[in-house]
mmCIF file of all heavy atoms in Angstrom:
data_model
loop_
_atom_site.group_PDB
_atom_site.id
_atom_site.type_symbol
_atom_site.label_atom_id
_atom_site.label_comp_id
_atom_site.label_asym_id
_atom_site.label_seq_id
_atom_site.Cartn_x
_atom_site.Cartn_y
_atom_site.Cartn_z
ATOM 1 N N VAL A 251 6.274 1.266 14.582
ATOM 2 C CA VAL A 251 5.303 1.415 15.668
ATOM 3 C C VAL A 251 4.953 0.036 16.218
ATOM 4 O O VAL A 251 4.655 -0.874 15.448
ATOM 5 C CB VAL A 251 3.999 2.092 15.159
ATOM 6 C CG1 VAL A 251 3.047 2.328 16.304
ATOM 7 C CG2 VAL A 251 4.308 3.372 14.422
ATOM 8 N N GLN A 258 -4.078 0.814 23.102
ATOM 9 C CA GLN A 258 -3.197 1.658 22.284
ATOM 10 C C GLN A 258 -3.643 1.646 20.826
ATOM 11 O O GLN A 258 -3.683 2.685 20.159
ATOM 12 C CB GLN A 258 -1.753 1.177 22.355
ATOM 13 C CG GLN A 258 -1.045 1.513 23.615
ATOM 14 C CD GLN A 258 0.371 0.935 23.611
ATOM 15 O OE1 GLN A 258 0.636 -0.103 23.014
ATOM 16 N NE2 GLN A 258 1.280 1.615 24.291
ATOM 17 N N ARG A 261 -6.866 3.649 20.359
ATOM 18 C CA ARG A 261 -6.618 5.097 20.367
ATOM 19 C C ARG A 261 -5.964 5.596 19.090
ATOM 20 O O ARG A 261 -6.106 6.746 18.722
ATOM 21 C CB ARG A 261 -5.778 5.495 21.590
ATOM 22 C CG ARG A 261 -6.586 5.438 22.879
ATOM 23 C CD ARG A 261 -5.840 5.944 24.099
ATOM 24 N NE ARG A 261 -5.023 7.131 23.914
ATOM 25 C CZ ARG A 261 -5.428 8.395 24.044
ATOM 26 N NH1 ARG A 261 -6.668 8.648 24.374
ATOM 27 N NH2 ARG A 261 -4.581 9.395 23.892
ATOM 28 N N MET A 264 -7.977 5.180 13.045
ATOM 29 C CA MET A 264 -8.696 6.326 12.495
ATOM 30 C C MET A 264 -9.720 5.830 11.453
ATOM 31 O O MET A 264 -9.479 5.904 10.249
ATOM 32 C CB MET A 264 -7.703 7.309 11.854
ATOM 33 C CG MET A 264 -6.664 7.824 12.829
ATOM 34 S SD MET A 264 -5.384 8.859 12.028
ATOM 35 C CE MET A 264 -6.297 10.396 11.821
ATOM 36 N N PHE A 266 -12.374 7.049 10.368
ATOM 37 C CA PHE A 266 -12.956 8.091 9.522
ATOM 38 C C PHE A 266 -12.068 8.425 8.340
ATOM 39 O O PHE A 266 -12.458 9.154 7.449
ATOM 40 C CB PHE A 266 -13.250 9.363 10.344
ATOM 41 C CG PHE A 266 -12.050 9.885 11.091
ATOM 42 C CD1 PHE A 266 -11.193 10.804 10.496
ATOM 43 C CD2 PHE A 266 -11.789 9.469 12.386
ATOM 44 C CE1 PHE A 266 -10.103 11.301 11.184
ATOM 45 C CE2 PHE A 266 -10.697 9.937 13.088
ATOM 46 C CZ PHE A 266 -9.844 10.848 12.486
ATOM 47 N N PRO A 269 -9.480 4.373 2.949
ATOM 48 C CA PRO A 269 -10.125 3.198 3.512
ATOM 49 C C PRO A 269 -9.694 2.904 4.960
ATOM 50 O O PRO A 269 -10.433 2.280 5.698
ATOM 51 C CB PRO A 269 -9.710 2.068 2.583
ATOM 52 C CG PRO A 269 -8.422 2.483 2.007
ATOM 53 C CD PRO A 269 -8.470 3.993 1.948
ATOM 54 N N ILE A 274 0.115 7.897 14.605
ATOM 55 C CA ILE A 274 1.415 7.510 15.118
ATOM 56 C C ILE A 274 1.951 8.671 15.966
ATOM 57 O O ILE A 274 2.147 9.760 15.450
ATOM 58 C CB ILE A 274 2.390 7.170 13.972
ATOM 59 C CG1 ILE A 274 1.836 5.988 13.165
ATOM 60 C CG2 ILE A 274 3.773 6.883 14.520
ATOM 61 C CD1 ILE A 274 2.574 5.694 11.912
ATOM 62 N N THR A 276 4.501 10.837 17.563
ATOM 63 C CA THR A 276 5.882 11.170 17.251
ATOM 64 C C THR A 276 6.114 12.661 17.493
ATOM 65 O O THR A 276 5.213 13.466 17.294
ATOM 66 C CB THR A 276 6.239 10.808 15.777
ATOM 67 O OG1 THR A 276 7.598 11.161 15.532
ATOM 68 C CG2 THR A 276 5.346 11.500 14.779
ATOM 69 N N GLN A 284 2.993 14.303 3.073
ATOM 70 C CA GLN A 284 4.280 13.587 3.079
ATOM 71 C C GLN A 284 4.025 12.084 2.985
ATOM 72 O O GLN A 284 3.195 11.536 3.703
ATOM 73 C CB GLN A 284 5.064 13.903 4.349
ATOM 74 C CG GLN A 284 6.412 13.255 4.439
ATOM 75 C CD GLN A 284 7.175 13.627 5.689
ATOM 76 O OE1 GLN A 284 6.664 14.334 6.579
ATOM 77 N NE2 GLN A 284 8.407 13.157 5.797
ATOM 78 N N GLN A 291 3.504 -3.383 14.491
ATOM 79 C CA GLN A 291 3.235 -4.692 15.084
ATOM 80 C C GLN A 291 1.980 -4.574 15.912
ATOM 81 O O GLN A 291 1.825 -3.645 16.711
ATOM 82 C CB GLN A 291 4.429 -5.123 15.944
ATOM 83 C CG GLN A 291 4.303 -6.495 16.505
ATOM 84 C CD GLN A 291 5.584 -6.912 17.226
ATOM 85 O OE1 GLN A 291 6.654 -6.480 16.878
ATOM 86 N NE2 GLN A 291 5.422 -7.714 18.243
ATOM 87 N N GLY A 294 -0.194 -8.769 20.710
ATOM 88 C CA GLY A 294 -0.261 -10.231 20.733
ATOM 89 C C GLY A 294 0.354 -10.909 19.519
ATOM 90 O O GLY A 294 0.219 -12.112 19.349
ATOM 91 N N GLN A 302 2.793 1.654 2.752
ATOM 92 C CA GLN A 302 3.102 3.007 2.330
ATOM 93 C C GLN A 302 1.889 3.860 2.654
ATOM 94 O O GLN A 302 0.749 3.405 2.484
ATOM 95 C CB GLN A 302 3.374 3.075 0.823
ATOM 96 C CG GLN A 302 4.640 2.333 0.432
ATOM 97 C CD GLN A 302 4.778 2.304 -1.087
ATOM 98 O OE1 GLN A 302 3.806 2.243 -1.809
ATOM 99 N NE2 GLN A 302 6.013 2.338 -1.535
ATOM 100 N N ILE A 308 -2.263 16.065 11.581
ATOM 101 C CA ILE A 308 -1.131 16.401 12.449
ATOM 102 C C ILE A 308 -1.678 16.914 13.776
ATOM 103 O O ILE A 308 -2.517 17.813 13.807
ATOM 104 C CB ILE A 308 -0.240 17.471 11.814
ATOM 105 C CG1 ILE A 308 0.393 16.932 10.535
ATOM 106 C CG2 ILE A 308 0.853 17.924 12.800
ATOM 107 C CD1 ILE A 308 1.234 17.927 9.767
ATOM 108 N N ALA A 313 -1.376 19.773 21.783
ATOM 109 C CA ALA A 313 -2.708 19.662 21.189
ATOM 110 C C ALA A 313 -3.784 19.654 22.275
ATOM 111 O O ALA A 313 -3.548 19.212 23.401
ATOM 112 C CB ALA A 313 -2.806 18.409 20.336
ATOM 113 N N GLY A 320 1.719 13.962 17.129
ATOM 114 C CA GLY A 320 1.918 12.898 16.166
ATOM 115 C C GLY A 320 1.200 13.165 14.866
ATOM 116 O O GLY A 320 0.721 14.272 14.612
ATOM 117 N N ILE A 321 1.146 12.106 14.044
ATOM 118 C CA ILE A 321 0.591 12.227 12.692
ATOM 119 C C ILE A 321 -0.418 11.115 12.424
ATOM 120 O O ILE A 321 -0.295 10.015 12.934
ATOM 121 C CB ILE A 321 1.707 12.198 11.636
ATOM 122 C CG1 ILE A 321 2.590 10.948 11.811
ATOM 123 C CG2 ILE A 321 2.521 13.461 11.695
ATOM 124 C CD1 ILE A 321 3.660 10.782 10.749
ATOM 125 N N VAL A 325 -3.452 4.845 4.935
ATOM 126 C CA VAL A 325 -2.771 3.687 4.346
ATOM 127 C C VAL A 325 -3.055 3.662 2.851
ATOM 128 O O VAL A 325 -4.212 3.709 2.422
ATOM 129 C CB VAL A 325 -3.254 2.382 5.008
ATOM 130 C CG1 VAL A 325 -2.587 1.185 4.370
ATOM 131 C CG2 VAL A 325 -2.992 2.421 6.515
ATOM 132 N N SER A 327 -1.058 1.403 0.570
ATOM 133 C CA SER A 327 -0.746 0.099 -0.005
ATOM 134 C C SER A 327 -1.456 -1.027 0.758
ATOM 135 O O SER A 327 -1.374 -1.090 1.972
ATOM 136 C CB SER A 327 0.780 -0.142 -0.010
ATOM 137 O OG SER A 327 1.288 -0.122 1.298
ATOM 138 N N ASP A 328 -2.170 -1.869 0.027
ATOM 139 C CA ASP A 328 -2.854 -3.018 0.589
ATOM 140 C C ASP A 328 -3.762 -2.632 1.773
ATOM 141 O O ASP A 328 -3.807 -3.303 2.807
ATOM 142 C CB ASP A 328 -1.837 -4.086 1.003
ATOM 143 C CG ASP A 328 -2.428 -5.490 1.003
ATOM 144 O OD1 ASP A 328 -3.515 -5.703 0.426
ATOM 145 O OD2 ASP A 328 -1.801 -6.381 1.620
ATOM 146 N N ALA A 329 -4.446 -1.519 1.629
ATOM 147 C CA ALA A 329 -5.194 -0.902 2.730
ATOM 148 C C ALA A 329 -6.280 -1.828 3.292
ATOM 149 O O ALA A 329 -6.470 -1.882 4.505
ATOM 150 C CB ALA A 329 -5.826 0.392 2.261
ATOM 151 N N LEU A 330 -6.999 -2.548 2.443
ATOM 152 C CA LEU A 330 -8.091 -3.381 2.951
ATOM 153 C C LEU A 330 -7.582 -4.542 3.816
ATOM 154 O O LEU A 330 -8.236 -4.912 4.793
ATOM 155 C CB LEU A 330 -8.954 -3.885 1.796
ATOM 156 C CG LEU A 330 -9.695 -2.757 1.048
ATOM 157 C CD1 LEU A 330 -10.526 -3.351 -0.079
ATOM 158 C CD2 LEU A 330 -10.537 -1.926 1.993
ATOM 159 N N HIS A 332 -4.833 -4.373 5.745
ATOM 160 C CA HIS A 332 -4.498 -3.734 7.036
ATOM 161 C C HIS A 332 -5.751 -3.442 7.832
ATOM 162 O O HIS A 332 -5.811 -3.676 9.033
ATOM 163 C CB HIS A 332 -3.659 -2.487 6.790
ATOM 164 C CG HIS A 332 -2.327 -2.747 6.202
ATOM 165 N ND1 HIS A 332 -1.278 -3.291 6.898
ATOM 166 C CD2 HIS A 332 -1.864 -2.582 4.933
ATOM 167 C CE1 HIS A 332 -0.249 -3.421 6.117
ATOM 168 N NE2 HIS A 332 -0.563 -2.997 4.907
ATOM 169 N N GLN A 334 -8.611 -4.972 7.723
ATOM 170 C CA GLN A 334 -9.191 -6.216 8.219
ATOM 171 C C GLN A 334 -8.426 -6.709 9.459
ATOM 172 O O GLN A 334 -9.033 -7.115 10.453
ATOM 173 C CB GLN A 334 -9.163 -7.282 7.135
ATOM 174 C CG GLN A 334 -9.775 -8.589 7.590
ATOM 175 C CD GLN A 334 -9.730 -9.655 6.498
ATOM 176 O OE1 GLN A 334 -8.947 -9.561 5.558
ATOM 177 N NE2 GLN A 334 -10.579 -10.644 6.637
ATOM 178 N N GLU A 337 -9.370 -4.190 12.374
ATOM 179 C CA GLU A 337 -10.762 -4.274 12.824
ATOM 180 C C GLU A 337 -11.100 -5.614 13.432
ATOM 181 O O GLU A 337 -11.963 -5.693 14.308
ATOM 182 C CB GLU A 337 -11.701 -3.909 11.684
ATOM 183 C CG GLU A 337 -11.663 -2.421 11.391
ATOM 184 C CD GLU A 337 -12.745 -1.966 10.425
ATOM 185 O OE1 GLU A 337 -13.462 -2.796 9.838
ATOM 186 O OE2 GLU A 337 -12.849 -0.730 10.248
ATOM 187 N N SER A 341 -12.771 -5.487 17.113
ATOM 188 C CA SER A 341 -14.204 -5.664 16.886
ATOM 189 C C SER A 341 -15.064 -5.327 18.100
ATOM 190 O O SER A 341 -16.124 -4.736 17.948
ATOM 191 C CB SER A 341 -14.493 -7.091 16.410
ATOM 192 O OG SER A 341 -14.093 -8.033 17.373
ATOM 193 N N ALA A 342 -14.598 -5.643 19.299
ATOM 194 C CA ALA A 342 -15.392 -5.343 20.491
ATOM 195 C C ALA A 342 -15.193 -3.902 20.972
ATOM 196 O O ALA A 342 -15.980 -3.401 21.775
ATOM 197 C CB ALA A 342 -15.012 -6.307 21.616
ATOM 198 N N ASP A 348 -14.617 5.759 24.286
ATOM 199 C CA ASP A 348 -13.328 6.239 24.794
ATOM 200 C C ASP A 348 -12.702 7.214 23.826
ATOM 201 O O ASP A 348 -12.868 7.092 22.595
ATOM 202 C CB ASP A 348 -12.365 5.072 24.997
ATOM 203 C CG ASP A 348 -12.772 4.186 26.176
ATOM 204 O OD1 ASP A 348 -13.627 4.593 26.990
ATOM 205 O OD2 ASP A 348 -12.214 3.053 26.266
ATOM 206 N N LEU A 349 -11.977 8.157 24.360
ATOM 207 C CA LEU A 349 -11.272 9.137 23.522
ATOM 208 C C LEU A 349 -10.159 8.455 22.741
ATOM 209 O O LEU A 349 -9.561 7.485 23.201
ATOM 210 C CB LEU A 349 -10.692 10.252 24.367
ATOM 211 C CG LEU A 349 -11.690 11.157 25.074
ATOM 212 C CD1 LEU A 349 -10.957 12.167 25.953
ATOM 213 C CD2 LEU A 349 -12.574 11.868 24.066
ATOM 214 N N THR A 350 -9.890 8.986 21.563
ATOM 215 C CA THR A 350 -8.782 8.509 20.761
ATOM 216 C C THR A 350 -7.713 9.596 20.712
ATOM 217 O O THR A 350 -7.885 10.669 21.293
ATOM 218 C CB THR A 350 -9.231 8.145 19.338
ATOM 219 O OG1 THR A 350 -9.616 9.340 18.671
ATOM 220 C CG2 THR A 350 -10.385 7.138 19.359
#
Side-chain angles (χ1 to χ4, degrees):
V251 184
Q258 284 178 329
R261 286 186 40 89
M264 301 174 78
F266 55 90
I274 299 171
T276 180
Q284 182 178 4
Q291 185 174 330
Q302 293 175 327
I308 297 176
I321 54 176
V325 178
S327 61
D328 205 15
L330 295 180
H332 294 286
Q334 182 181 20
E337 287 190 352
S341 61
D348 290 346
L349 294 176
T350 67

